[in-house]
Amino acid sequence: MKIIHTLPVLIRSEHLPADLSMATACFESLRSSEDQHIVLYNQGCLSNENLRALLSECGLSPVILGHGENIGIAEARQTCFEYIWKHHRNVEYISEIHVDMVFPPNWYVPLIEYLGESVNEPMISPGIVTMYGELQPIGIETEIPDNSLDLIPFLMDLQRDEIREGFVHPVVHKARILREIGGYDTQFLRGKQGYEDDSLLLGYYYYLGTRNNWRPKCYLKSWVYHATMAQRMTLPDKHMEFALNEEGLIRQYGAHGLRSLSNIHQNPAAFDHLLQKFLQ
């Protein structure tokens, strides 16, 4: 196998019909790709048996880790990474995907081809279309189809042979480099969500060396629908979880890391408040 996909699956009991519909659309779209190797972390509320049955109905047979507890994004992802590093040491690429996504067939192929030709890129993202019709990272708004059958052709029509600086999910990583930087350090990222992407980006930034001035990129030859934060912002105590990871990010990388993030995202104002908090 060339790529393994990692997927935390959060099904909320209070939004069960909507979440099951969303998950089914995601799983059915994944079935249309040739590489269907998935390591999944069950974060609730379905039992592993019920989740496996749902996936089987969609034509998928993933490895299922976890037992229905929401342990957070970073820890769930890291558990999937460590499973792959242990059982599939020779896999070349690892993706991070979400359950609120819809994928055209073989969406990862252009991304793998780009990474295979690039010496200095440790990861690459596709373009995404959000639930609001935003095309990211290019910042254009459009009308999107209201059903998944029309959504797939719509995504394929967006393809263009163009690189843009920016960061979105999903992401395809070079597995070797992801392992070398260690993935997500859950000693610092103790919250269930928030800033885990920034932590990983800084890991790559320092791995490549600050003199390279590396920034994440999107290859617009691939497009994926991503509702973005469709579930996580409804969770209780989300602000406390963000605060835990904010503290962890500052403890892990300090003031220099926050300045580096400003450079990575080309948005100094976004991290200035964190820097001032650190200095105080």
Side-chain angles (χ1 to χ4, degrees):
M1 67 184 74
K2 202 170 188 68
I3 185 170
I4 298 178
H5 309 287
T6 64
L7 175 60
V9 174
L10 175 63
I11 304 295
R12 302 164 296 176
S13 57
E14 65 274 21
H15 299 280
L16 188 60
D19 281 5
L20 286 176
S21 176
M22 178 178 64
T24 299
C26 173
F27 298 154
E28 288 181 343
S29 70
L30 288 170
R31 181 179 58 190
S32 65
S33 292
E34 293 176 10
D35 286 299
Q36 301 175 4
H37 306 287
I38 302 170
V39 177
L40 176 155
Y41 197 99
N42 181 12
Q43 296 196 289
C45 63
L46 299 182
S47 68
N48 285 5
E49 293 73 20
N50 289 339
L51 183 56
R52 192 178 301 280
L54 174 62
L55 287 152
S56 179
E57 290 175 5
C58 296
L60 300 175
S61 323
V63 172
I64 297 180
L65 308 175
H67 298 281
E69 178 188 358
N70 180 13
I71 62 173
I73 296 173
E75 189 171 349
R77 292 279 190 202
Q78 187 68 13
T79 303
C80 293
F81 294 164
E82 291 175 0
Y83 178 91
I84 294 169
W85 295 337
K86 179 178 180 180
H87 297 281
H88 301 283
R89 296 180 63 88
N90 295 322
V91 71
E92 295 181 65
Y93 301 97
I94 295 174
S95 82
E96 295 184 81
I97 61 178
H98 293 259
V99 75
D100 61 342
M101 293 178 173
V102 176
F103 301 87
N106 300 323
W107 63 276
Y108 50 83
V109 170
L111 306 180
I112 286 177
E113 290 175 349
Y114 176 79
L115 287 178
E117 296 171 356
S118 174
V119 176
N120 294 322
E121 294 300 330
M123 52 155 275
I124 191 72
S125 300
I128 64 165
V129 181
T130 74
M131 68 169 71
Y132 305 108
E134 298 165 338
L135 305 184
Q136 299 295 352
I138 59 179
I140 295 175
E141 295 185 2
T142 187
E143 293 187 12
I144 59 174
D146 57 5
N147 64 82
S148 57
L149 289 177
D150 293 332
L151 185 58
I152 298 296
F154 173 79
L155 292 169
M156 297 178 72
D157 286 343
L158 292 172
Q159 295 175 1
R160 62 186 82 174
D161 194 3
E162 181 181 345
I163 296 291
R164 287 288 189 101
E165 288 189 350
F167 175 78
V168 299
H169 269 263
V171 185
V172 173
H173 302 274
K174 289 180 178 175
R176 174 185 59 83
I177 302 180
L178 179 64
R179 186 172 186 178
E180 288 187 24
I181 69 168
Y184 297 106
D185 193 334
T186 54
Q187 296 178 98
F188 296 98
L189 298 170
R190 296 179 293 115
K192 288 185 170 62
Q193 58 184 325
Y195 297 104
E196 61 276 347
D197 295 332
D198 293 311
S199 175
L200 204 61
L201 292 176
L202 280 174
Y204 283 136
Y205 185 77
Y206 292 135
Y207 172 86
L208 293 168
T210 54
R211 67 178 181 177
N212 288 312
N213 201 31
W214 175 80
R215 293 189 180 97
K217 298 172 183 64
C218 299
Y219 187 26
L220 304 187
K221 205 168 184 179
S222 173
W223 287 82
V224 169
Y225 172 78
H226 185 188
T228 71
M229 306 291 282
Q231 295 176 301
R232 301 284 175 174
M233 294 308 291
T234 69
L235 298 180
D237 300 324
K238 58 182 179 295
H239 300 300
M240 294 176 60
E241 304 295 341
F242 271 87
L244 281 172
N245 279 358
E246 176 185 291
E247 179 185 355
L249 181 74
I250 293 172
R251 287 182 180 274
Q252 185 177 12
Y253 288 107
H256 189 271
L258 297 179
R259 291 193 178 101
S260 298
L261 277 174
S262 296
N263 183 49
I264 289 170
H265 293 296
Q266 300 185 67
N267 187 359
F271 294 93
D272 183 64
H273 72 287
L274 291 183
L275 178 59
Q276 294 307 314
K277 185 181 294 188
F278 174 81
L279 293 174
Q280 293 171 9

